[in-house]
Amino acid sequence: MSNPLFNASLLESLDFSDSEGIHFNPTITLKNPGNALTIRPLQRDDYDHGYYEVLRQLTTVGEPSLEDFQTRFDEMLACAGTYYVIVVEDTNTKQVVASCSLVIEKKFIRQCTKRGRIEDVVVDGSCRGKQLGKLLVLTAKKLARKLECYKLTLECEKDKIPFYEKFGFRNNECFYMVQRF
């Protein structure tokens, strides 16, 4: 493995014996996410493995250079315990085909605990329907619990609400406000 963003043993240590009402049909698991697929942390060389091509299916990413990517990767790596970018790799093509980010915010409230936030959930169009999004969100949720977050949040488009409700997320009537620059 080429310089991962976080220690892969964290993923290997997650307990999936209780899938919390999430069912996979056909059955896939963290250790066996599908034929020729593997789940792992983002790596420093994933710029050349289609990471941005997958992200472009979610939002605008611009045209970052390899140097831009590696600089940001190194900045995230330096913030140990904050960024957990989980990817699915097609082991035949060595290309990233799905991704999900878990960001850990350290708080002063609630006994100096942590809050988790799921971001940037995306599955390549060629791999949709294989339950990879579901597996990535469940993995991020389990990881947030393991890292002792007191809550886990995410933002999503209105049409995605039913998908996230399956994981126990609910609209808590708070207003999400944004100011873009």
Side-chain angles (χ1 to χ4, degrees):
M1 186 183 302
S2 164
N3 199 11
L5 186 58
F6 62 94
N7 192 326
S9 67
L10 266 176
L11 295 178
E12 296 162 6
S13 70
L14 297 177
D15 179 11
F16 274 75
S17 60
D18 172 18
S19 63
E20 304 176 35
I22 303 299
H23 304 286
F24 295 95
N25 187 16
T27 300
I28 60 171
T29 65
L30 191 61
K31 292 180 182 176
N32 185 16
N35 187 31
L37 298 174
T38 189
I39 294 183
R40 61 170 175 76
L42 181 71
Q43 297 173 9
R44 196 167 194 272
D45 64 355
D46 279 332
Y47 180 90
D48 294 323
H49 296 278
Y51 182 61
Y52 276 118
E53 285 71 21
V54 171
L55 288 181
R56 280 187 182 91
Q57 296 176 52
L58 178 67
T59 191
T60 302
V61 297
E63 297 298 328
S65 67
L66 173 60
E67 182 181 346
D68 294 335
F69 174 81
Q70 290 179 340
T71 297
R72 180 53 39 95
F73 184 94
D74 292 343
E75 290 169 349
M76 293 169 86
L77 185 62
C79 298
T82 302
Y83 298 100
Y84 299 86
V85 181
I86 307 161
V87 300
V88 177
E89 176 189 332
D90 180 319
T91 57
N92 288 333
T93 64
K94 305 296 184 208
Q95 295 296 298
V96 172
V97 296
S99 181
C100 174
S101 298
L102 172 65
V103 180
I104 304 297
E105 179 184 355
K106 295 174 182 164
K107 308 290 276 183
F108 285 108
I109 63 172
R110 298 185 182 256
Q111 295 294 108
C112 291
T113 192
K114 297 175 267 188
R115 167 197 179 187
R117 192 172 63 248
I118 292 177
E119 300 217 346
D120 306 334
V121 179
V122 60
V123 177
D124 184 79
S126 67
C127 291
R128 292 191 184 137
K130 295 182 179 181
Q131 307 177 97
L132 297 177
K134 190 185 325 185
L135 186 59
L136 283 170
V137 172
L138 185 59
T139 299
K141 182 177 175 180
K142 297 265 184 199
L143 184 55
R145 278 204 179 137
K146 181 165 188 73
L147 297 171
E148 300 177 344
C149 293
Y150 83 98
K151 75 177 176 181
L152 181 62
T153 63
L154 59 81
E155 301 154 11
C156 69
E157 299 293 327
K158 201 171 197 171
D159 65 321
K160 302 287 189 250
I161 290 172
F163 173 77
Y164 290 109
E165 286 178 333
K166 295 175 190 173
F167 297 91
F169 290 96
R170 62 186 182 281
N171 186 341
N172 65 356
E173 303 302 321
C174 288
F175 292 98
Y176 166 69
M177 299 177 72
V178 64
Q179 186 175 61
R180 296 190 189 270
F181 299 102

Short mmCIF file of all heavy atoms in Angstrom, two decimals, residues 87-131:
data_model
loop_
_atom_site.label_atom_id
_atom_site.label_comp_id
_atom_site.label_asym_id
_atom_site.label_seq_id
_atom_site.Cartn_x
_atom_site.Cartn_y
_atom_site.Cartn_z
N VAL A 87 -11.92 4.82 0.32
CA VAL A 87 -12.19 4.61 -1.10
C VAL A 87 -12.42 3.13 -1.39
O VAL A 87 -11.98 2.26 -0.65
CB VAL A 87 -11.05 5.15 -2.00
CG1 VAL A 87 -10.86 6.63 -1.79
CG2 VAL A 87 -9.76 4.39 -1.80
N VAL A 88 -13.11 2.89 -2.49
CA VAL A 88 -13.25 1.54 -3.04
C VAL A 88 -12.41 1.52 -4.30
O VAL A 88 -12.53 2.40 -5.15
CB VAL A 88 -14.72 1.19 -3.36
CG1 VAL A 88 -14.81 -0.21 -3.99
CG2 VAL A 88 -15.58 1.28 -2.11
N GLU A 89 -11.56 0.52 -4.39
CA GLU A 89 -10.69 0.38 -5.56
C GLU A 89 -11.07 -0.86 -6.34
O GLU A 89 -11.34 -1.92 -5.76
CB GLU A 89 -9.23 0.24 -5.12
CG GLU A 89 -8.27 -0.02 -6.27
CD GLU A 89 -6.86 -0.36 -5.80
OE1 GLU A 89 -6.45 0.08 -4.71
OE2 GLU A 89 -6.17 -1.09 -6.53
N ASP A 90 -11.12 -0.73 -7.65
CA ASP A 90 -11.25 -1.87 -8.54
C ASP A 90 -9.85 -2.46 -8.67
O ASP A 90 -8.96 -1.82 -9.22
CB ASP A 90 -11.78 -1.42 -9.90
CG ASP A 90 -11.95 -2.56 -10.88
OD1 ASP A 90 -11.07 -3.46 -10.93
OD2 ASP A 90 -12.94 -2.55 -11.63
N THR A 91 -9.65 -3.65 -8.14
CA THR A 91 -8.30 -4.23 -8.10
C THR A 91 -7.82 -4.68 -9.48
O THR A 91 -6.63 -4.88 -9.67
CB THR A 91 -8.23 -5.40 -7.10
OG1 THR A 91 -9.21 -6.37 -7.44
CG2 THR A 91 -8.45 -4.90 -5.68
N ASN A 92 -8.73 -4.84 -10.43
CA ASN A 92 -8.32 -5.19 -11.79
C ASN A 92 -7.72 -3.98 -12.51
O ASN A 92 -6.70 -4.09 -13.18
CB ASN A 92 -9.49 -5.74 -12.61
CG ASN A 92 -9.89 -7.13 -12.16
OD1 ASN A 92 -9.08 -7.90 -11.64
ND2 ASN A 92 -11.15 -7.47 -12.35
N THR A 93 -8.38 -2.83 -12.37
CA THR A 93 -7.94 -1.63 -13.08
C THR A 93 -7.07 -0.71 -12.22
O THR A 93 -6.49 0.24 -12.74
CB THR A 93 -9.15 -0.82 -13.58
OG1 THR A 93 -9.89 -0.36 -12.44
CG2 THR A 93 -10.03 -1.65 -14.50
N LYS A 94 -7.06 -0.97 -10.92
CA LYS A 94 -6.34 -0.12 -9.95
C LYS A 94 -6.90 1.30 -9.91
O LYS A 94 -6.21 2.26 -9.60
CB LYS A 94 -4.83 -0.07 -10.25
CG LYS A 94 -4.15 -1.42 -10.31
CD LYS A 94 -4.22 -2.11 -8.98
CE LYS A 94 -3.44 -3.42 -9.04
NZ LYS A 94 -3.93 -4.40 -8.12
N GLN A 95 -8.20 1.43 -10.20
CA GLN A 95 -8.87 2.73 -10.22
C GLN A 95 -9.81 2.86 -9.02
O GLN A 95 -10.47 1.89 -8.63
CB GLN A 95 -9.66 2.92 -11.51
CG GLN A 95 -8.80 2.97 -12.75
CD GLN A 95 -7.87 4.18 -12.76
OE1 GLN A 95 -8.31 5.32 -12.77
NE2 GLN A 95 -6.57 3.92 -12.77
N VAL A 96 -9.89 4.05 -8.47
CA VAL A 96 -10.85 4.36 -7.42
C VAL A 96 -12.22 4.45 -8.08
O VAL A 96 -12.40 5.16 -9.07
CB VAL A 96 -10.49 5.68 -6.71
CG1 VAL A 96 -11.59 6.10 -5.76
CG2 VAL A 96 -9.15 5.55 -5.98
N VAL A 97 -13.20 3.72 -7.52
CA VAL A 97 -14.55 3.71 -8.09
C VAL A 97 -15.61 4.25 -7.12
O VAL A 97 -16.78 4.38 -7.51
CB VAL A 97 -14.94 2.30 -8.59
CG1 VAL A 97 -14.03 1.87 -9.73
CG2 VAL A 97 -14.93 1.29 -7.46
N ALA A 98 -15.21 4.55 -5.90
CA ALA A 98 -16.16 5.11 -4.93
C ALA A 98 -15.36 5.74 -3.79
O ALA A 98 -14.21 5.35 -3.54
CB ALA A 98 -17.10 4.04 -4.39
N SER A 99 -16.00 6.69 -3.11
CA SER A 99 -15.31 7.38 -2.02
C SER A 99 -16.31 7.94 -1.03
O SER A 99 -17.45 8.26 -1.38
CB SER A 99 -14.43 8.50 -2.58
OG SER A 99 -13.74 9.16 -1.54
N CYS A 100 -15.86 8.09 0.20
CA CYS A 100 -16.65 8.68 1.28
C CYS A 100 -15.66 9.27 2.28
O CYS A 100 -14.64 8.64 2.57
CB CYS A 100 -17.50 7.60 1.94
SG CYS A 100 -18.40 8.12 3.42
N SER A 101 -15.96 10.46 2.77
CA SER A 101 -15.07 11.09 3.76
C SER A 101 -15.76 11.18 5.10
O SER A 101 -16.94 11.51 5.19
CB SER A 101 -14.70 12.51 3.31
OG SER A 101 -14.00 12.48 2.10
N LEU A 102 -14.99 10.90 6.14
CA LEU A 102 -15.42 11.13 7.52
C LEU A 102 -14.46 12.15 8.09
O LEU A 102 -13.24 11.93 8.08
CB LEU A 102 -15.37 9.83 8.34
CG LEU A 102 -15.62 9.98 9.84
CD1 LEU A 102 -17.04 10.46 10.12
CD2 LEU A 102 -15.34 8.66 10.56
N VAL A 103 -15.00 13.28 8.53
CA VAL A 103 -14.18 14.33 9.12
C VAL A 103 -14.53 14.38 10.61
O VAL A 103 -15.70 14.44 10.98
CB VAL A 103 -14.46 15.70 8.46
CG1 VAL A 103 -13.60 16.80 9.09
CG2 VAL A 103 -14.24 15.62 6.96
N ILE A 104 -13.50 14.37 11.43
CA ILE A 104 -13.69 14.39 12.89
C ILE A 104 -13.36 15.78 13.40
O ILE A 104 -12.25 16.29 13.20
CB ILE A 104 -12.78 13.34 13.58
CG1 ILE A 104 -13.03 11.95 13.02
CG2 ILE A 104 -12.97 13.40 15.09
CD1 ILE A 104 -14.42 11.41 13.23
N GLU A 105 -14.33 16.39 14.05
CA GLU A 105 -14.15 17.72 14.63
C GLU A 105 -14.00 17.56 16.14
O GLU A 105 -14.88 17.01 16.80
CB GLU A 105 -15.37 18.57 14.30
CG GLU A 105 -15.33 19.96 14.86
CD GLU A 105 -16.61 20.73 14.58
OE1 GLU A 105 -17.50 20.22 13.87
OE2 GLU A 105 -16.72 21.85 15.10
N LYS A 106 -12.90 18.03 16.66
CA LYS A 106 -12.66 17.96 18.11
C LYS A 106 -13.35 19.15 18.77
O LYS A 106 -13.21 20.28 18.33
CB LYS A 106 -11.16 17.95 18.38
CG LYS A 106 -10.53 16.70 17.82
CD LYS A 106 -9.04 16.69 17.92
CE LYS A 106 -8.55 15.40 17.28
NZ LYS A 106 -7.16 15.41 16.98
N LYS A 107 -14.10 18.85 19.84
CA LYS A 107 -14.95 19.84 20.49
C LYS A 107 -14.50 20.10 21.93
O LYS A 107 -13.87 19.25 22.55
CB LYS A 107 -16.40 19.35 20.52
CG LYS A 107 -16.97 18.88 19.19
CD LYS A 107 -17.19 19.99 18.25
CE LYS A 107 -18.52 20.63 18.51
NZ LYS A 107 -18.84 21.70 17.56
N PHE A 108 -14.87 21.27 22.44
CA PHE A 108 -14.70 21.55 23.86
C PHE A 108 -15.94 21.13 24.63
O PHE A 108 -15.87 20.84 25.82
CB PHE A 108 -14.42 23.04 24.09
CG PHE A 108 -13.03 23.44 23.72
CD1 PHE A 108 -12.79 24.20 22.59
CD2 PHE A 108 -11.94 23.04 24.49
CE1 PHE A 108 -11.50 24.57 22.24
CE2 PHE A 108 -10.65 23.39 24.15
CZ PHE A 108 -10.43 24.16 23.02
N ILE A 109 -17.07 21.10 23.96
CA ILE A 109 -18.32 20.74 24.63
C ILE A 109 -18.38 19.23 24.89
O ILE A 109 -17.59 18.46 24.33
CB ILE A 109 -19.55 21.19 23.81
CG1 ILE A 109 -19.58 20.48 22.45
CG2 ILE A 109 -19.53 22.71 23.62
CD1 ILE A 109 -20.87 20.72 21.66
N ARG A 110 -19.33 18.84 25.71
CA ARG A 110 -19.59 17.42 26.01
C ARG A 110 -18.33 16.68 26.42
O ARG A 110 -17.99 15.64 25.86
CB ARG A 110 -20.27 16.74 24.83
CG ARG A 110 -21.62 17.34 24.51
CD ARG A 110 -22.30 16.55 23.42
NE ARG A 110 -23.56 17.16 23.10
CZ ARG A 110 -24.75 16.68 23.49
NH1 ARG A 110 -24.82 15.59 24.21
NH2 ARG A 110 -25.85 17.29 23.16
N GLN A 111 -17.63 17.25 27.40
CA GLN A 111 -16.42 16.62 27.94
C GLN A 111 -15.31 16.50 26.89
O GLN A 111 -14.62 15.48 26.83
CB GLN A 111 -16.74 15.25 28.53
CG GLN A 111 -17.65 15.25 29.74
CD GLN A 111 -17.02 15.92 30.93
OE1 GLN A 111 -17.42 17.02 31.28
NE2 GLN A 111 -16.05 15.30 31.54
N CYS A 112 -15.17 17.51 26.07
CA CYS A 112 -14.12 17.53 25.04
C CYS A 112 -14.22 16.33 24.11
O CYS A 112 -13.23 15.67 23.80
CB CYS A 112 -12.73 17.63 25.67
SG CYS A 112 -12.43 19.22 26.45
N THR A 113 -15.41 16.07 23.66
CA THR A 113 -15.64 14.92 22.78
C THR A 113 -15.42 15.30 21.32
O THR A 113 -14.84 16.33 21.01
CB THR A 113 -17.04 14.33 23.04
OG1 THR A 113 -17.14 13.08 22.40
CG2 THR A 113 -18.13 15.25 22.56
N LYS A 114 -15.91 14.47 20.44
CA LYS A 114 -15.73 14.67 19.00
C LYS A 114 -17.06 14.52 18.27
O LYS A 114 -17.92 13.76 18.69
CB LYS A 114 -14.75 13.63 18.44
CG LYS A 114 -13.36 13.75 19.02
CD LYS A 114 -12.47 12.63 18.53
CE LYS A 114 -12.53 11.51 19.52
NZ LYS A 114 -11.59 10.44 19.27
N ARG A 115 -17.15 15.23 17.16
CA ARG A 115 -18.30 15.14 16.27
C ARG A 115 -17.80 14.61 14.93
O ARG A 115 -16.75 15.04 14.44
CB ARG A 115 -18.90 16.52 16.07
CG ARG A 115 -19.90 16.58 14.94
CD ARG A 115 -20.15 18.01 14.52
NE ARG A 115 -21.08 18.02 13.41
CZ ARG A 115 -21.38 19.10 12.74
NH1 ARG A 115 -20.81 20.24 13.04
NH2 ARG A 115 -22.23 19.05 11.75
N GLY A 116 -18.53 13.69 14.35
CA GLY A 116 -18.18 13.19 13.03
C GLY A 116 -19.08 13.79 11.98
O GLY A 116 -20.24 14.12 12.24
N ARG A 117 -18.53 13.96 10.78
CA ARG A 117 -19.31 14.49 9.67
C ARG A 117 -18.98 13.68 8.41
O ARG A 117 -17.82 13.56 8.05
CB ARG A 117 -18.98 15.97 9.46
CG ARG A 117 -19.91 16.69 8.54
CD ARG A 117 -19.67 18.19 8.52
NE ARG A 117 -18.34 18.53 8.01
CZ ARG A 117 -17.35 19.06 8.75
NH1 ARG A 117 -17.53 19.29 10.02
NH2 ARG A 117 -16.20 19.35 8.19
N ILE A 118 -20.00 13.13 7.80
CA ILE A 118 -19.82 12.38 6.55
C ILE A 118 -19.94 13.36 5.40
O ILE A 118 -20.87 14.18 5.37
CB ILE A 118 -20.87 11.25 6.42
CG1 ILE A 118 -20.61 10.18 7.48
CG2 ILE A 118 -20.85 10.66 5.02
CD1 ILE A 118 -21.62 9.05 7.49
N GLU A 119 -19.01 13.26 4.48
CA GLU A 119 -19.00 14.16 3.32
C GLU A 119 -18.61 13.40 2.06
O GLU A 119 -18.01 12.33 2.14
CB GLU A 119 -18.01 15.31 3.54
CG GLU A 119 -18.33 16.14 4.76
CD GLU A 119 -18.04 17.59 4.57
OE1 GLU A 119 -17.35 17.95 3.61
OE2 GLU A 119 -18.52 18.38 5.39
N ASP A 120 -18.93 13.97 0.93
CA ASP A 120 -18.42 13.54 -0.37
C ASP A 120 -18.62 12.05 -0.66
O ASP A 120 -17.69 11.35 -1.09
CB ASP A 120 -16.94 13.91 -0.50
CG ASP A 120 -16.69 15.38 -0.26
OD1 ASP A 120 -17.62 16.18 -0.46
OD2 ASP A 120 -15.57 15.74 0.14
N VAL A 121 -19.83 11.57 -0.44
CA VAL A 121 -20.15 10.18 -0.77
C VAL A 121 -20.44 10.11 -2.27
O VAL A 121 -21.34 10.80 -2.77
CB VAL A 121 -21.39 9.69 0.02
CG1 VAL A 121 -21.74 8.25 -0.35
CG2 VAL A 121 -21.15 9.82 1.52
N VAL A 122 -19.67 9.30 -2.98
CA VAL A 122 -19.84 9.21 -4.43
C VAL A 122 -19.42 7.83 -4.92
O VAL A 122 -18.46 7.25 -4.43
CB VAL A 122 -19.04 10.31 -5.17
CG1 VAL A 122 -17.56 10.21 -4.89
CG2 VAL A 122 -19.33 10.31 -6.65
N VAL A 123 -20.19 7.32 -5.87
CA VAL A 123 -19.89 6.04 -6.51
C VAL A 123 -19.84 6.29 -8.02
O VAL A 123 -20.75 6.93 -8.57
CB VAL A 123 -20.95 4.97 -6.17
CG1 VAL A 123 -20.67 3.66 -6.91
CG2 VAL A 123 -21.01 4.73 -4.66
N ASP A 124 -18.81 5.80 -8.66
CA ASP A 124 -18.68 5.93 -10.11
C ASP A 124 -19.92 5.35 -10.80
O ASP A 124 -20.45 4.32 -10.37
CB ASP A 124 -17.42 5.20 -10.58
CG ASP A 124 -17.17 5.38 -12.06
OD1 ASP A 124 -16.67 6.45 -12.45
OD2 ASP A 124 -17.51 4.46 -12.83
N GLY A 125 -20.34 6.00 -11.86
CA GLY A 125 -21.53 5.57 -12.59
C GLY A 125 -21.47 4.11 -13.02
O GLY A 125 -22.50 3.42 -13.04
N SER A 126 -20.29 3.60 -13.33
CA SER A 126 -20.15 2.21 -13.76
C SER A 126 -20.33 1.21 -12.62
O SER A 126 -20.48 0.02 -12.87
CB SER A 126 -18.77 1.99 -14.40
OG SER A 126 -17.75 2.12 -13.41
N CYS A 127 -20.33 1.70 -11.37
CA CYS A 127 -20.43 0.81 -10.22
C CYS A 127 -21.68 1.04 -9.38
O CYS A 127 -21.84 0.42 -8.33
CB CYS A 127 -19.19 0.96 -9.33
SG CYS A 127 -17.70 0.33 -10.10
N ARG A 128 -22.55 1.91 -9.83
CA ARG A 128 -23.78 2.16 -9.07
C ARG A 128 -24.66 0.93 -9.13
O ARG A 128 -24.63 0.16 -10.08
CB ARG A 128 -24.49 3.39 -9.62
CG ARG A 128 -23.67 4.62 -9.34
CD ARG A 128 -24.36 5.92 -9.60
NE ARG A 128 -23.37 6.98 -9.37
CZ ARG A 128 -23.23 8.03 -10.14
NH1 ARG A 128 -24.03 8.22 -11.17
NH2 ARG A 128 -22.31 8.93 -9.87
N GLY A 129 -25.41 0.74 -8.06
CA GLY A 129 -26.28 -0.43 -7.97
C GLY A 129 -25.59 -1.62 -7.33
O GLY A 129 -26.21 -2.68 -7.15
N LYS A 130 -24.33 -1.46 -6.95
CA LYS A 130 -23.59 -2.55 -6.30
C LYS A 130 -23.53 -2.39 -4.78
O LYS A 130 -22.76 -3.07 -4.12
CB LYS A 130 -22.17 -2.62 -6.87
CG LYS A 130 -22.13 -2.99 -8.34
CD LYS A 130 -20.71 -3.09 -8.84
CE LYS A 130 -20.69 -3.49 -10.31
NZ LYS A 130 -19.33 -3.63 -10.81
N GLN A 131 -24.31 -1.44 -4.25
CA GLN A 131 -24.43 -1.19 -2.81
C GLN A 131 -23.18 -0.59 -2.19
O GLN A 131 -23.00 -0.62 -0.98
CB GLN A 131 -24.81 -2.48 -2.06
CG GLN A 131 -26.03 -3.19 -2.61
CD GLN A 131 -26.30 -4.47 -1.88
OE1 GLN A 131 -27.13 -4.48 -0.97
NE2 GLN A 131 -25.61 -5.53 -2.25
#
